[in-house]
């Protein structure tokens, strides 16, 4: 792996973004086999804002290697939640079941200060995430959870690489922005928003 090329590519894409746009970089599957610690260290040195991994053990390995960036974990399995909390990893929350399990884990760990989570919305991918008709239940629950802080809300776009489906992609983005606006208004919280395929 040419780390110089990786840094060059990172900075090339960063140059295409508005200065206020943050960067979350996937380093799941232990950096896709390319050395998660080395890649994450380079990303941290180059001041990306977030890392994301698939599983808790990947995030734990990065913490043990000295990585201090915020790390989102995409698969927040109930059995791994105590370890996630211990290593200050941030879970993707995509259902009431995962939210309730995480709240129980926070209570068990004695955490009372707001802990960052990432809410996934399903705007059309139909894999994981809260759907629009679940929004009121989600907001009602979040309103009574002072130990939860929303770090970000995101969605997974289904077909952005297929121009024939641009109208569907725009529909997903419109729904995503509408839901986020409602969440910010109801919860009186600001949070990051991200959507990609």
């Amino acid at each position: 792996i040419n780390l110089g090329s990786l840094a060059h590519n990172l900075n090339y894409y960063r140059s295409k973004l508005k200065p206020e746009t943050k960067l979350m970089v996937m380093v799941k599957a232990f950096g896709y086999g390319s050395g998660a610690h080395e890649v994450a260290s380079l990303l941290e040195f180059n001041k990306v804002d977030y890392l994301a991994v698939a599983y808790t053990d990947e995030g734990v390995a990065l913490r043990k290697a000295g990585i201090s960036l915020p790390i989102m974990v995409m698969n927040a399995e109930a059995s791994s939640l105590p370890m996630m909390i211990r290593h200050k990893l941030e879970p993707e929350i995509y259902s009431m079941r995962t939210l309730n399990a995480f709240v129980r884990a926070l209570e068990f760990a004695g955490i009372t200060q707001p802990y960052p989570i990432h809410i996934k919305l399903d705007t059309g991918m139909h894999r994981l995430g809260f759907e629009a008709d679940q929004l009121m239940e989600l907001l009602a629950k979040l309103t009574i959870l002072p130990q939860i802080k929303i770090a970000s809300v995101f969605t997974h776009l289904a077909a952005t690489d297929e121009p024939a489906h641009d109208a569907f992609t725009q529909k997903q983005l419109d729904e995503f922005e509408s839901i986020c606006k409602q969440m910010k208004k109801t919860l009186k919280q600001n949070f990051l928003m991200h959507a990609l395929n």
Side-chain angles (χ1 to χ4, degrees):
I1 302 295
N2 184 327
L3 294 178
S5 293
L6 179 60
H8 173 271
N9 292 346
L10 171 70
N11 289 317
Y12 171 79
Y13 286 108
R14 180 180 270 147
S15 76
K16 302 293 181 186
L17 301 173
K18 294 176 183 174
E20 66 272 17
T21 301
K22 297 185 181 298
L23 278 171
M24 175 184 278
V25 182
M26 300 301 301
V27 290
K28 62 184 183 176
F30 294 100
Y32 299 97
S34 59
H37 170 246
E38 293 80 3
V39 170
S41 293
L42 178 104
L43 294 168
E44 188 166 49
F45 179 79
N46 281 276
K47 299 187 176 8
V48 302
D49 301 283
Y50 255 94
L51 298 176
V53 295
Y55 297 100
T56 301
D57 62 333
E58 297 169 334
V60 170
L62 291 176
R63 287 285 185 251
K64 288 183 176 178
I67 300 299
S68 60
L69 281 172
I71 301 173
M72 179 179 83
V73 178
M74 298 181 72
N75 298 295
E77 298 169 337
S79 62
S80 71
L81 295 178
M83 189 183 312
M84 186 181 299
I85 293 166
R86 197 171 319 121
H87 292 279
K88 295 181 173 55
L89 305 172
E90 303 174 12
E92 169 188 318
I93 302 293
Y94 54 84
S95 69
M96 291 306 294
R97 183 182 55 78
T98 58
L99 178 58
N100 290 331
F102 190 66
V103 169
R104 284 192 301 274
L106 287 174
E107 289 169 352
F108 187 77
I111 305 291
T112 57
Q113 296 301 311
Y115 195 103
I117 66 170
H118 302 265
I119 301 286
K120 183 170 188 177
L121 302 177
D122 182 355
T123 59
M125 185 78 180
H126 300 308
R127 190 184 293 162
L128 292 173
F130 291 94
E131 295 187 16
D133 63 1
Q134 297 173 294
L135 183 60
M136 299 320 299
E137 180 186 8
L138 173 63
L139 291 175
K141 182 76 173 183
L142 290 172
T143 303
I144 59 168
L145 293 173
Q147 68 272 51
I148 294 290
K149 173 187 183 293
I150 301 173
S152 81
V153 176
F154 70 104
T155 195
H156 196 145
L157 302 174
T160 55
D161 53 344
E162 300 174 37
H165 300 299
D166 282 355
F168 181 75
T169 297
Q170 189 59 55
K171 181 177 173 288
Q172 279 194 271
L173 288 169
D174 291 345
E175 181 177 341
F176 175 64
E177 289 185 10
S178 173
I179 292 172
C180 286
K181 185 176 179 182
Q182 188 174 354
M183 290 180 74
K184 287 181 179 184
K185 182 178 176 184
T186 302
L187 298 173
K188 296 175 180 53
Q189 279 190 44
N190 202 12
F191 46 77
L192 299 172
M193 296 164 42
H194 48 115
L196 215 57
N197 71 336

